[in-house]
């Protein structure tokens, strides 16, 4: 069964560093999403991406964040200058029923 | 702003019991309601509901949507310890033409005791 994959599964970074989280959505899906879940809190929508551009983004998705589909298969989330409060699980999802990848745990020290 | 409220927030039952989890929502332009099961990490898709009154079933799990009263229930019969998880309800807004992200509830933490 096709699945969304994400790398790395856990990333540790220093505050102020840039991180890139990678996702490979299911191949014939057209809509891609990033969500985050801070420990103990609910899953929050960050951004959706369709036809090589951002479709929707939430208030959380500020100028520190960017998304890209660099090569037609990968879908990346970049955080330019990480803050402590960016520590969370980041999930990638793709349509149709939004199957989630296993997540990347980001720890900002 | 879209809103999803799940109840109860946590529930402890014994193996073999039947449970009903509730989800009520407010969304400006409803497209669908989804149920997920979250164990250690990623949410796992269970059901997507778009029409009122049509029950979706998968083994011991079933779900139904009431678009008039703006709620959905998830039923699990003959519960097993493997059903222990957080069950998430989410709604999708139609306004984004299919690209909107989901709005999640806080989840119901279900614990099945042997």
């Amino acid at each position: 069964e096709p699945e969304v994959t994400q790398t790395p599964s856990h990333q540790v970074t220093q505050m102020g560093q840039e991180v890139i989280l990678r996702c490979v959505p299911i191949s014939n899906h057209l809509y891609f999403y990033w969500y985050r879940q801070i420990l103990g809190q609910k899953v929050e929508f960050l951004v959706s991406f369709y036809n090589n551009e951002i479709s929707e983004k939430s208030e959380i998705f500020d100028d520190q964040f960017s998304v890209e589909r660099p090569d037609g298969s990968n879908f990346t989330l970049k955080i330019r200058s990480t803050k402590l409060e960016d520590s969370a699980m980041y999930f990638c999802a793709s349509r149709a029923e939004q199957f989630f990848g296993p997540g990347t745990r980001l720890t900002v020290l | 702003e879209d809103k999803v409220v799940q109840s109860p927030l946590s529930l402890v039952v014994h193996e073999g019991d039947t449970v009903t989890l509730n989800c009520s929502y407010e969304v400006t332009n409803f497209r669908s309601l989804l149920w997920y099961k979250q164990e250690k990490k990623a949410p796992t898709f269970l059901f997507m509901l778009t029409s009122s009154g049509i029950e979706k079933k998968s083994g011991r799990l079933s779900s139904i949507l009431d678009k008039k009263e703006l709620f959905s229930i998830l039923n699990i019969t003959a519960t097993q310890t493997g059903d222990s998880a957080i069950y998430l309800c989410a709604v999708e807004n139609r306004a984004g033409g299919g690209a909107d992200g989901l709005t999640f509830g806080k989840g119901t933490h279900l614990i099945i005791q042997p």
Side-chain angles (χ1 to χ4, degrees), chain B residues 58-94:
Chain B
S58 176
R60 296 176 293 103
L61 277 66
S62 63
S63 184
I64 198 158
L65 174 68
D66 185 329
K67 286 164 76 172
K68 188 175 168 196
E69 301 297 329
L70 306 182
F71 79 89
S72 173
I73 59 171
L74 175 69
N75 275 322
I76 309 175
T77 58
T79 51
Q80 302 169 357
T81 53
D83 295 327
S84 296
I86 297 173
Y87 289 83
L88 302 173
C89 175
V91 293
E92 184 182 12
N93 190 313
R94 182 182 290 277

Side-chain angles (χ1 to χ4, degrees), chain A residues 2-89:
Chain A
E3 59 181 20
V4 178
T5 58
Q6 288 183 244
T7 55
S9 58
H10 187 191
Q11 176 143 9
V12 180
T13 189
Q14 294 288 333
M15 197 166 60
Q17 295 295 306
E18 175 184 285
V19 295
I20 297 177
L21 311 183
R22 292 184 166 79
C23 168
V24 179
I26 294 171
S27 64
N28 60 350
H29 285 184
L30 300 176
Y31 297 93
F32 314 116
Y33 306 82
W34 282 101
Y35 294 84
R36 79 169 186 195
Q37 187 175 33
I38 295 169
L39 188 65
Q41 297 188 23
K42 58 181 174 179
V43 177
E44 299 173 291
F45 168 70
L46 293 177
V47 65
S48 61
F49 193 85
Y50 170 71
N51 202 24
N52 289 320
E53 60 183 20
I54 289 174
S55 293
E56 297 287 335
K57 57 184 181 177
S58 71
E59 292 171 353
I60 303 167
F61 193 87
D62 60 22
D63 293 342
Q64 293 290 349
F65 292 90
S66 61
V67 289
E68 214 175 41
R69 195 135 192 260
D71 58 14
S73 63
N74 291 289
F75 178 50
T76 62
L77 175 70
K78 184 193 290 187
I79 309 174
R80 285 192 187 81
S81 176
T82 50
K83 305 187 283 284
L84 292 176
E85 53 265 37
D86 294 327
S87 294
M89 281 294 288

Side-chain angles (χ1 to χ4, degrees), chain B residues 27-47:
Chain B
V27 61
T28 50
N29 214 344
F30 178 85
R31 173 184 285 269
S32 63
L33 183 145
L34 298 94
W35 284 97
Y36 290 88
K37 178 182 182 183
Q38 186 175 30
E39 295 174 271
K40 296 220 163 42
K41 277 196 174 179
T44 305
F45 172 79
L46 294 175
F47 298 112

